[in-house]
Amino acid sequence: MNTLAKRHPSQTHRVLTADDIEALAVGAWILGTGGGGDPYHKLLNMRLLYEKGHQVTLIDPMSLTDDALVAVLSNMGAPLVGQERLADPDFAIKPLRMMEEHLGRKFDAVMALEIGGGNGMHPMQVAAIGGYPVVDADTMGRAYPEAQMTSVAVAGLRCYPLTMADIRDNEIIFPRAASWRWMERISRKACTEIGSVAATCKAPRSGAEVKQHGILYSVSKAIDLGQQVRAARAAHADPIEAVLGAAQGKLLFTGKVVDVERRATEGFLRGQARIEGLNENAGQTLVVHFQNEYSVAFLDAEPVVMTPDLICLLDTVSGEGIGTDVLRFGQRVSVLALPAPEVFLTEAGLSAVGPRAFGFDLDFTSVFKGEQA
């Protein structure tokens, strides 16, 4: 069964503890499949906000009224730039305020565009500062690099308006776009012009849209995953096995990173990593390609795993997720595959996020073929 899409027995309202936030950072970084931005800086901000008495309330998406207005939040740009350009947490709330002014209405709740990486933590900052509840859902169940690579885009929901802000006090509103791909193109161009990193508030979603088309209970999934990894570390157990068990994943390869080619271009971080096998994979070479996130991996020139299956590179000892922006020579890594949300296994989903969407002339074959419910 695809546990990443399975309903989680969430309470209608749950006040997240500081430990929950710590676990979320671990789980979101694993689910980020290399992208979504390193959550560490956002985690530091959240620790400070909690020390000051702020809290975050996580709400069950099914408790939303159909006409509730939900802000969909993320950072946009190249993860490597996000490591170099730090921002005050108040920066994250600017696009939401812009959108509220544009719409003439306050939001009832916020949610992540993607649960992966720092973007899984992003709405937590906004919620802690602004007092909004966070919906236990996102639109990817992981991280993807482009606007059309979401469950709401696959469903054909409206792609506009979008608001964007940077640290220089530039504010941009995109009131309309012809399609999701056009929204991606024009907003990415603007993001590149202001330094390849920006905070955004995507097209608002109604409560009905979230309930019908969101990836539900993904925040709880990330927290649970992080808790399993942290518990394994505390018990001196194998955190990789903890991830495999918690997320119904498969271990594909273990090895050492021997080469990384990486370039920031057109608002993305693109490249590939070469991993030489260790232990049972000795003598083999795995090449993993990425566009912000890991997209396709080739074992001795043969494709072995590809999007929308989640390709996760984890530190073999700690179980920590390794982003495409921090991957480096000498790291001992375990390469895992986790099941994709079912919406991306449909014809429309594969058109949006399958290997051809990333430039690979491959028909999608899942590592979990015949296993997903």
Side-chain angles (χ1 to χ4, degrees):
M1 177 175 285
N2 180 357
T3 58
L4 294 180
K6 179 179 160 185
R7 192 185 192 283
H8 188 279
S10 174
Q11 298 175 350
T12 301
H13 293 86
R14 171 187 175 189
V15 177
L16 298 182
T17 66
D19 282 345
D20 290 331
I21 298 297
E22 298 285 337
L24 174 60
V26 174
W29 201 206
I30 293 170
L31 295 179
T33 65
D38 190 330
Y40 181 64
H41 294 139
K42 288 183 170 62
L43 175 59
L44 293 180
N45 286 330
M46 289 302 299
R47 286 173 179 170
L48 182 59
L49 288 168
Y50 264 63
E51 287 173 5
K52 292 181 177 179
H54 296 273
Q55 287 184 319
V56 175
T57 299
L58 188 67
I59 62 172
D60 190 318
M62 301 309 292
S63 71
L64 292 168
T65 61
D66 286 351
D67 62 351
L69 190 66
V70 180
V72 182
L73 306 175
S74 75
N75 268 356
M76 182 179 189
L80 187 62
V81 178
Q83 289 295 303
E84 299 170 349
R85 180 177 293 174
L86 306 184
D88 186 278
D90 289 330
F91 162 70
I93 204 169
K94 287 180 66 177
L96 179 145
R97 299 298 192 209
M98 294 164 59
M99 185 68 79
E100 288 181 331
E101 183 177 354
H102 178 72
L103 298 174
R105 179 181 170 185
K106 295 289 186 180
F107 282 106
D108 298 301
V110 301
M111 64 180 277
L113 174 76
E114 56 187 10
I115 189 57
N119 273 336
M121 301 284 288
H122 189 78
M124 302 294 162
Q125 292 185 149
V126 174
I129 294 168
Y132 300 88
V134 176
V135 181
D136 193 355
D138 75 308
T139 67
M140 295 184 182
R142 48 167 295 163
Y144 276 122
E146 300 185 32
Q148 71 276 10
M149 298 175 175
T150 65
S151 60
V152 292
V154 170
L157 302 186
R158 195 171 75 172
C159 65
Y160 57 84
L162 181 148
T163 55
M164 176 185 294
D166 73 354
I167 61 172
R168 298 187 182 90
D169 204 30
N170 292 310
E171 298 182 353
I172 308 166
I173 299 176
F174 304 87
R176 191 176 183 89
S179 68
W180 283 98
R181 291 185 183 274
W182 272 109
M183 179 59 84
E184 167 62 29
R185 289 179 65 179
I186 59 179
S187 61
R188 184 71 55 176
K189 189 68 174 179
C191 180
T192 302
E193 289 298 316
I194 59 177
S196 291
V197 64
T200 69
C201 183
K202 308 296 188 183
R205 302 270 67 103
S206 70
E209 289 172 334
V210 172
K211 288 183 284 189
Q212 186 172 358
H213 300 294
I215 308 297
L216 305 184
Y217 308 103
S218 55
V219 179
S220 289
K221 291 292 183 183
I223 293 172
D224 292 346
L225 181 57
Q227 288 172 338
Q228 293 294 324
V229 171
R230 297 179 77 212
R233 292 173 186 167
H236 303 289
D238 185 356
I240 303 300
E241 288 298 325
V243 174
L244 294 173
Q248 301 297 302
K250 289 188 176 183
L251 177 64
L252 303 178
F253 196 83
T254 56
K256 181 180 78 170
V257 178
V258 295
D259 186 52
V260 181
E261 298 175 17
R262 185 165 42 215
R263 63 194 185 279
T265 175
E266 298 177 328
F268 299 109
L269 187 64
R270 304 177 189 268
Q272 64 180 42
R274 189 160 61 93
I275 306 168
E276 289 188 353
L278 297 173
N279 304 322
E280 65 272 17
N281 297 119
Q284 298 178 305
T285 300
L286 188 76
V287 177
V288 186
H289 295 260
F290 54 84
Q291 178 186 330
N292 287 7
E293 291 77 34
Y294 303 113
S295 54
V296 178
F298 294 83
L299 180 61
D300 297 332
E302 291 295 322
V304 291
V305 61
M306 61 193 74
T307 175
D309 283 351
L310 281 69
I311 305 171
C312 307
L313 271 63
L314 309 184
D315 182 282
T316 298
V317 175
S318 70
E320 191 79 11
I322 302 174
T324 57
D325 53 332
V326 295
L327 196 64
R328 66 183 185 276
F329 176 84
Q331 286 174 317
R332 265 60 173 179
V333 300
S334 296
V335 183
L336 281 60
L338 306 183
E342 294 171 15
V343 63
F344 297 123
L345 302 176
T346 64
E347 183 178 351
L350 289 174
S351 177
V353 302
R356 286 190 171 85
F358 294 88
F360 295 93
D361 188 17
L362 298 170
D363 292 326
F364 172 66
T365 301
S366 176
V367 169
F368 305 95
K369 187 175 181 179
E371 298 180 20
Q372 290 171 301

